[in-house]
Amino acid sequence: AVFHTTTNVASDHWTGYSVHRGGSVEIEGAEDPVVRNVVFDSPGGNGLLLSGYVRGALVRQCEFKWVGDSAIVLLGRTDPAQPCNASNGEQPRGTQIFGNFISEVGVWGKQGCGVFQALTMGTNISHTIIFNGPRAGVLWNDGMGGSNNLEHSLMFNLVRETTGKISQLHLFCVVRIVL
């Protein structure tokens, strides 16, 4: 399958870091979904969104190219009164991102990255190649739940449009990295 979308650019009233809860393919309220051998060619915004309750997702052998914002977005929800409380279960958990090829991200959204994760836990990224983007290849936005893993992957030619100090792997949580 090949997905083409129209451009989705943030309006000029947005400030700071933001992520759009949307994508060419959106998965929510699912257990063990599989996205395999899909080519995301020129999505105007995010390529794949895993939102809210998603358990055991597998994203395998996909190609993401010329992505308007981020290729893969994992985005959970919490109780607004208790933003660090994941007891409502509305977070992607146990996602496997394996054997993907991600290039040319952040064409329109200059904070776009290969994999963006917030309010999510237990993500494993393995055997994935990420290159050519304005910011980080992988961005774990917070430390909710931990148990994230990055192994046997390659990232290069990133952080091309940022003047501040930022690495190709942008971490705000505990993660196990195996190279």
Side-chain angles (χ1 to χ4, degrees), residues 30-52:
E31 294 185 0
D32 303 318
V34 176
V35 179
R36 185 175 190 159
N37 296 324
V38 177
V39 175
F40 293 81
D41 187 349
S42 304
N46 298 319
L48 172 64
L49 171 69
L50 303 180
S51 176

Side-chain angles (χ1 to χ4, degrees), residues 127-141:
H127 297 85
T128 292
I129 299 170
I130 304 171
F131 64 97
N132 292 350
R135 299 275 309 253
V138 174
L139 197 156
W140 278 300
N141 192 60

Side-chain angles (χ1 to χ4, degrees), residues 14-35:
W14 290 15
T15 59
Y17 196 92
S18 63
V19 63
H20 174 64
R21 190 181 293 274
S24 295
V25 174
E26 299 176 6
I27 298 173
E28 186 164 0
E31 294 185 0
D32 303 318
V34 176
V35 179

Side-chain angles (χ1 to χ4, degrees), residues 28 62 79:
E28 186 164 0
C62 293
D79 179 348

Side-chain angles (χ1 to χ4, degrees), residues 104-125:
E104 314 307 331
V105 297
V107 173
W108 307 112
K110 296 307 175 184
Q111 293 178 331
C113 53
V115 179
F116 174 89
Q117 170 177 309
L119 303 175
T120 302
M121 58 193 80
T123 302
N124 182 51
I125 302 170

Side-chain angles (χ1 to χ4, degrees), residues 21 26-31 33 49-57 73-78 86 88-95 118-121 144:
R21 190 181 293 274
E26 299 176 6
I27 298 173
E28 186 164 0
E31 294 185 0
L49 171 69
L50 303 180
S51 176
Y53 183 92
V54 178
R55 297 292 184 272
V73 174
L74 297 91
L75 191 56
R77 291 187 179 90
T78 60
N88 68 359
E90 288 294 315
Q91 304 83 26
R93 299 180 184 184
T95 301
L119 303 175
T120 302
M121 58 193 80
M144 175 166 284

